[in-house]
Amino acid sequence: MSAATDLAEAIADAMAAVPGVRPAPTLTDTSWLPKPIRGSAVDIGPGLIEIRVVATELPLRPLADRLTEAVAPILADTAWADTTVRVIVTDVESTALDDVT
């Protein structure tokens, strides 16, 4: 595994601990994969890390802030410490809208 792949997996682990979000599916058929790729919702490039999520609750800004805060310690001692983290909400679960009036 590469450092970027390991980092994507660590970010996926952090995402799992943040209430209100789940990874956005990027592959519709993963049966051909030898093992699940939890970090597939994370793209790591020079100067930018994009994390795609599905929101399971609202409002969105606090969710994005919580996820960014959860990822910050993971990036702290890496080559990506000063990289911009962009949270992309690809979908909102319908149950998140239940409390919206």
Side-chain angles (χ1 to χ4, degrees):
M1 290 235 187
S2 70
T5 301
D6 292 342
L7 182 61
E9 293 289 319
I11 291 171
D13 289 342
M15 188 185 324
V18 176
V21 297
R22 64 176 172 79
T26 55
L27 300 172
T28 55
D29 178 18
T30 59
S31 61
W32 58 273
L33 293 172
K35 69 175 194 165
I37 302 175
R38 294 183 332 265
S40 67
V42 179
D43 286 331
I44 299 173
L48 180 65
I49 295 175
E50 291 186 337
I51 306 171
R52 290 174 302 283
V53 300
V54 174
T56 60
E57 63 183 55
L58 296 173
L60 296 178
R61 172 57 68 184
L63 293 178
D65 291 345
R66 284 197 308 253
L67 183 54
T68 303
E69 290 169 8
V71 169
I74 296 167
L75 301 177
D77 294 327
T78 71
W80 295 275
D82 296 323
T83 301
T84 299
V85 175
R86 179 182 297 154
V87 177
I88 301 169
V89 179
T90 63
D91 201 0
V92 177
E93 284 191 358
S94 61
T95 55
L97 302 172
D98 290 344
D99 294 330
V100 176
T101 57

